[in-house]
Amino acid sequence: MQAIRDAILSGDRSQETFANLEIPQSYRAVTVHKDEAGMFEGQASRDKDPRKSLHLDEVPVPELGPGEAIVAVMASAINYNTVWTSIFEPVSTFGFLERYGRTSPLAKRHDLPYHIVGSDLSGVVLRTGPGVHAWKPGDEVVAHCLSVELEHPDGHNDTMLDPEQRIWGFETNFGGLAELALVKANQLMPKPDHLTWEEAASPGLVNSTAYRQLVSRNGAGMKLGDTVLIWGASGGLGSYATQMALASGATPVCVVSSPDKADICKAMGAELVIDRNAEGYKFWKDETTQDPREWKRFGAKIRELTGGKDPDIVFEHPGRETFGASVYVARKGGTIVTCASTSGFMHEYDNRYLWMNLKRIIGSHFANYREAFEANDLINRGLIHPTLSRTYALEDVGQAAYDVHRNRHQGKVGVLALAPEPGLGVSNPAKRAPLEAAINRFRNA
Ligand SMILES: NC(=O)c1ccc[n+]([C@@H]2O[C@H](COP(=O)([O-])OP(=O)(O)OC[C@H]3O[C@@H](n4cnc5c(N)ncnc54)[C@H](OP(=O)(O)O)[C@@H]3O)[C@@H](O)[C@H]2O)c1
């Protein structure tokens, strides 16, 4: 592995050098273990501790199949899906691997007693399988996390509709929180050359998701002048949604839970920020009863900030706790677009506000290759910036996932894999120089 790291650090990117590098028999990877899937039974979600379930193991290198690539991972990032995997909620991800394994002999490789997690990476291609012509050893890449087979007609207008659509490193094995990763070649995209390895690895999953959810015609189709309510506006998804709203000439109304988080939204350029903790909203009176007066109080606060405008779009992901309020505050004819349910997936809302006011709820999930590519291109062109706050070592992924689970983080949390230290990997310093302050906005926040 040291030879691979040295080759990457040397700056040589020739195909010959990388194609001739020996791939070791095994590599270090962050895993959960199948025989531990019941370890948190009986505990409340917030007490389940990813530090206990995430391991750093030496694992064998998987066989390379057609259309695939093995990438040397310089850096990766924590996504909430690794939190879900590590606490075995809402289901153990070994069920995904078993089901995938039954679909083909090649997919069978994924059905193992350990699951290598992680859905983001930046690194360098080491090997490509038969049928791969767009990428070659030595290419600097980032990977998006959409894994599709495309053997059925359904996915050919929008690959997210493929019946064999999976999230790499969550519903498949051999993810990015490791020294090597196995991806389909159509997950690869060029690494932005003005970013460090850890900066380049951090936007992928959330940036692509926010792009489809908010910008794409498959999502809310945001336009110039829209008012957009963004939950968790300094978090993973929200920090990209906020930047996209600002860059599109829309007005974000950012919801956060502390003054520090409010400050970071303002540093991104947002002017309208609601601290939900300071306002003390209690949308639920108890486990089963919502309080519409609190929806109204929240809506009144939004109008106070916007000068009377209700949101054209509500960017939803907290789920059960906020969904009733989200449906209520969207403007007549407005759109609630949801991609998650962090606080619970059995949503309740008052349907009278939806149908009488002709609102729409849109479900959105990750992004197709084209959308992921466009989202990465925004980063590459310096129109949207990484929101990396902290970087951990591979050994400390348990702690990193714990911090995200406990909502102690800002923006994105990065992880170094083969990169020996942060700050490496910039090959276009002239492009970076004018963007430096924006790239570093979330640093150490
Ligand atoms: N479908 C997909 O493709 C997709 C892709 C990415 C993520 N997701 C899912 O989306 C969710 C968020 O992901 P993320 O990466 O943005 O996570 P994140 O970095 O933890 O940010 C989420 C933010 O939501 C806010 N939040 C959490 N619980 C809340 C609640 N009960 N009420 C109001 N706000 C709450 C928090 O902000 P404040 O405390 O500051 O308000 C938090 O920072 C996760 O469940 C994740 O699995 C889905």
Side-chain angles (χ1 to χ4, degrees), residues 75-207:
S76 182
I78 302 294
N79 284 296
Y80 214 92
N81 65 6
T82 290
V83 175
W84 294 123
T85 302
S86 71
I87 63 173
F88 306 101
E89 282 197 23
V91 291
S92 156
T93 48
F94 287 100
F96 301 145
L97 303 185
E98 287 162 21
R99 271 198 297 286
Y100 187 29
R102 286 196 288 272
T103 62
S104 75
L106 211 56
K108 183 74 187 147
R109 291 170 303 165
H110 292 255
D111 182 12
L112 294 168
Y114 56 86
H115 185 183
I116 302 166
V117 292
S119 300
D120 275 316
L121 69 72
S122 67
V124 177
V125 175
L126 294 177
R127 292 281 189 281
T128 55
V132 177
H133 306 292
W135 302 96
K136 58 179 189 336
D139 285 345
E140 291 192 2
V141 291
V142 292
H144 71 77
C145 63
L146 173 62
S147 165
V148 281
E149 310 299 321
L150 287 179
E151 289 193 289
H152 300 267
D154 315 42
H156 281 260
N157 276 344
D158 175 7
T159 47
M160 282 305 296
L161 299 182
D162 188 53
E164 300 297 333
Q165 176 272 318
R166 292 180 176 79
I167 298 297
W168 161 70
F170 180 60
E171 294 164 295
T172 77
N173 219 321
F174 315 121
L177 286 163
E179 292 172 331
L180 300 179
L182 181 75
V183 298
K184 292 186 188 290
N186 61 16
Q187 288 175 242
L188 296 175
M189 309 186 291
K191 173 193 169 284
D193 55 6
H194 64 300
L195 298 180
T196 65
W197 296 110
E198 62 279 10
E199 288 163 355
S202 66
L205 184 148
V206 283
N207 184 43

Side-chain angles (χ1 to χ4, degrees), residues 79-81 84 167 205-206 209 231-238 255-258 261 276 317-318 321-322 339-343 364-366 404 407 409 411-412:
N79 284 296
Y80 214 92
N81 65 6
W84 294 123
I167 298 297
L205 184 148
V206 283
T209 305
W231 289 104
S234 73
L237 290 168
V255 187
V256 292
S257 62
S258 71
K261 292 183 171 192
R276 65 185 172 98
H317 50 90
E321 203 163 310
T322 55
C339 77
S341 293
T342 312
S343 65
S364 189
H365 185 40
F366 189 61
V404 172
N407 196 13
H409 65 298
K412 290 295 298 176

Side-chain angles (χ1 to χ4, degrees), residues 299-323:
K301 180 74 190 172
I302 296 169
R303 285 184 179 172
E304 179 194 315
L305 293 176
T306 60
K309 277 198 82 191
D310 295 328
D312 299 282
I313 299 168
V314 180
F315 185 84
E316 245 293 335
H317 50 90
R320 182 170 173 81
E321 203 163 310
T322 55
F323 205 81

Side-chain angles (χ1 to χ4, degrees), residues 157-427:
N157 276 344
D158 175 7
T159 47
M160 282 305 296
L161 299 182
D162 188 53
E164 300 297 333
Q165 176 272 318
R166 292 180 176 79
I167 298 297
W168 161 70
F170 180 60
E171 294 164 295
T172 77
N173 219 321
F174 315 121
L177 286 163
E179 292 172 331
L180 300 179
L182 181 75
V183 298
K184 292 186 188 290
N186 61 16
Q187 288 175 242
L188 296 175
M189 309 186 291
K191 173 193 169 284
D193 55 6
H194 64 300
L195 298 180
T196 65
W197 296 110
E198 62 279 10
E199 288 163 355
S202 66
L205 184 148
V206 283
N207 184 43
S208 309
T209 305
Y211 184 77
R212 180 180 175 108
Q213 189 175 351
L214 198 54
V215 180
S216 168
R217 273 175 288 176
N218 288 317
M222 177 179 62
K223 61 177 185 350
L224 179 70
D226 278 352
T227 298
V228 186
L229 182 75
I230 301 173
W231 289 104
S234 73
L237 290 168
S239 56
Y240 291 91
T242 299
Q243 292 186 71
M244 285 173 199
L246 289 164
S248 306
T251 304
V253 180
C254 295
V255 187
V256 292
S257 62
S258 71
D260 285 355
K261 292 183 171 192
D263 285 348
I264 215 145
C265 291
K266 288 180 184 154
M268 284 189 282
E271 290 173 1
L272 313 182
V273 185
I274 298 175
D275 180 339
R276 65 185 172 98
N277 254 352
E279 298 290 334
Y281 298 116
K282 280 196 79 178
F283 298 132
W284 291 81
K285 286 189 218 167
D286 56 45
E287 292 268 295
T288 54
T289 327
Q290 296 200 60
D291 187 349
R293 283 172 313 180
E294 285 293 274
W295 301 345
K296 286 180 189 156
R297 190 161 76 85
F298 180 52
K301 180 74 190 172
I302 296 169
R303 285 184 179 172
E304 179 194 315
L305 293 176
T306 60
K309 277 198 82 191
D310 295 328
D312 299 282
I313 299 168
V314 180
F315 185 84
E316 245 293 335
H317 50 90
R320 182 170 173 81
E321 203 163 310
T322 55
F323 205 81
S326 292
V327 170
Y328 177 79
V329 300
R331 78 157 167 82
K332 192 164 185 162
T335 301
I336 302 96
V337 63
T338 174
C339 77
S341 293
T342 312
S343 65
F345 48 79
M346 295 302 280
H347 296 186
E348 281 177 36
Y349 63 89
D350 186 333
N351 201 34
R352 291 170 297 181
Y353 292 112
L354 190 89
W355 99 69
M356 291 299 287
N357 294 305
L358 303 110
K359 305 183 188 187
R360 296 184 305 156
I361 295 172
I362 297 179
S364 189
H365 185 40
F366 189 61
N368 61 39
Y369 192 9
R370 180 69 204 171
E371 290 161 339
F373 205 92
E374 286 172 4
N376 185 55
D377 196 46
L378 296 176
I379 304 273
N380 196 24
R381 289 157 63 193
L383 296 170
I384 301 289
H385 306 290
T387 60
L388 187 70
S389 55
R390 292 190 64 183
T391 305
Y392 290 72
L394 211 48
E395 291 81 358
D396 299 324
V397 162
Q399 182 65 43
Y402 175 85
D403 289 350
V404 172
H405 183 29
R406 290 301 176 99
N407 196 13
R408 289 178 173 177
H409 65 298
Q410 302 260 31
K412 290 295 298 176
V413 170
V415 174
L416 296 182
L418 287 173
E421 60 191 77
L424 305 175
V426 176
S427 56

